[in-house]
Amino acid sequence: MTYLRIWLSSALSIACVLASGCGSSSGDDVERVGLGADVALPQRRGTLLLDGCVIDAWSRSTLALPSTKRVASEIILLCAVPRGDGTVGPRDESATRALSSLVDDLHREGYRAHLGVAFTDESGQRYDGAQASASLADPVWRARFRETLGTVAAPFDGVELDLQALPNDARASVTALVSELSPVVRPQKSLSVFVPPSVTEPSDLPGGDAFARRELAPHVDRMRIMTLDFSEAGPGPTIDPGWAVDAVRLALADFPACDVSYPLYGTDFGPRGRRSATWFEAMALGGAPRTPIERGPTGAPFVRFSGFGGELHELWFDDATSTARALGAWTFDVLPPSVGVLYYGLGAEDPALFESLAARIP
């Protein structure tokens, strides 16, 4: 994810629970704001997102767990891309067969399967805003997109649009794409759109006003609010629970069927930029005596370490404890029952996550 978010300070502090070591803090503030470690979790609609077209054996084992099925009922495969001419791939015969077989497997496991369309080129690079905006503004491009998406999406239960890095003046084109696609996809399948996590009107995010939520509302089934990448200007947590509530509440004013997004991946901040990281990487780094795992103000764990050439890094991530504390704070009086949770980045998570969450759902 690449939604810009400037780090905001938090007044929260929590007690550390990892035996590998961390800074100490009082639990009083945690309990006061509902981030206690032992609270029951509200039962919410859960969706898992996998960034790709292939589910490896490890994640297939995770999906087979009864605890995972208790937490989530659908999975998004973010793997389709629109080409420069508007046609949607993958389109070759072998890829089509493989995707259809994978969807069959997910159905047998009891999940709904949605096709995510990421507006990237075929090398996986995000289209820049100007190029994507020009494509969306072209009626011929949008027509090719509609016509060819149906073939790729045929075995799936829903379609998810992941549009990013757009300028605000793409607003009319985004609305046109979604409104024209809606009667093609629905009601046989669901149609959802990923929406930037604005917390103000006008939006506080570059390109946030490219998404007219109220105008999009009649044409979609859900809006996935991308409450991710909270810290981009410098090291910090991938999500702030309070900020996420603000972003979802603003969206709820326009549409009741929204999801709050929660990261399963971590972020490694280094002098050459940022990269996504997994829980396993963090654990491997945090096991050394000189690189203890610490916890930040929101409870997210992190580890400081020296990389290649002695470059200093901070790797921030989430585990079962920090995730459960955030979800436990989102009680129904904070976010209504209509709000679901999108767990972003299947495969990067703490392996104890879903069993831990399921055990605390009444």
Side-chain angles (χ1 to χ4, degrees), residues 43-47 71 73-74 114 222 224 259 339-341:
Q43 176 72 68
R44 295 189 182 276
R45 173 192 180 117
T47 303
V71 173
S73 59
E74 60 188 12
H114 293 191
R222 295 198 76 79
R224 318 284 191 177
D259 281 7
V339 174
V341 180

Side-chain angles (χ1 to χ4, degrees), residues 1 8 24 30 70 87 97 99 113 121 130 141 166 194 207 231 237-238 250 255 277 282 287-288 293 318 334 346 350:
M1 297 302 301
L8 304 175
S24 63
V30 176
R70 182 159 171 75
T87 59
R97 287 198 306 268
L99 278 176
D121 63 25
W141 190 96
L166 294 173
F194 294 5
S231 305
T238 309
L250 184 66
F255 189 63
I293 295 176
D318 277 280
V334 174
L346 181 66
D350 179 347

Side-chain angles (χ1 to χ4, degrees), residues 24 30 68 88 90-91 98 104 108 113 131 152 166 169 178 180 182 198-199 248 253 259-260 264 288-289 298 341 351:
S24 63
V30 176
T68 307
V88 179
R91 300 182 57 78
D104 287 343
R108 281 191 288 270
Q131 180 179 354
V152 185
L166 294 173
D169 61 12
V178 176
E180 292 166 2
S182 181
S198 303
V199 296
V248 173
D259 281 7
V260 58
L264 301 182
T298 65
V341 180

Side-chain angles (χ1 to χ4, degrees), residues 54-93:
V54 178
I55 303 179
D56 63 23
W58 180 274
S59 291
R60 282 179 180 257
S61 296
T62 300
L63 291 172
L65 292 172
S67 56
T68 307
K69 296 176 184 181
R70 182 159 171 75
V71 173
S73 59
E74 60 188 12
I75 181 168
I76 299 169
L77 301 179
L78 186 60
C79 67
V81 295
R83 299 188 175 101
D85 63 358
T87 59
V88 179
R91 300 182 57 78
D92 60 274
E93 185 176 347

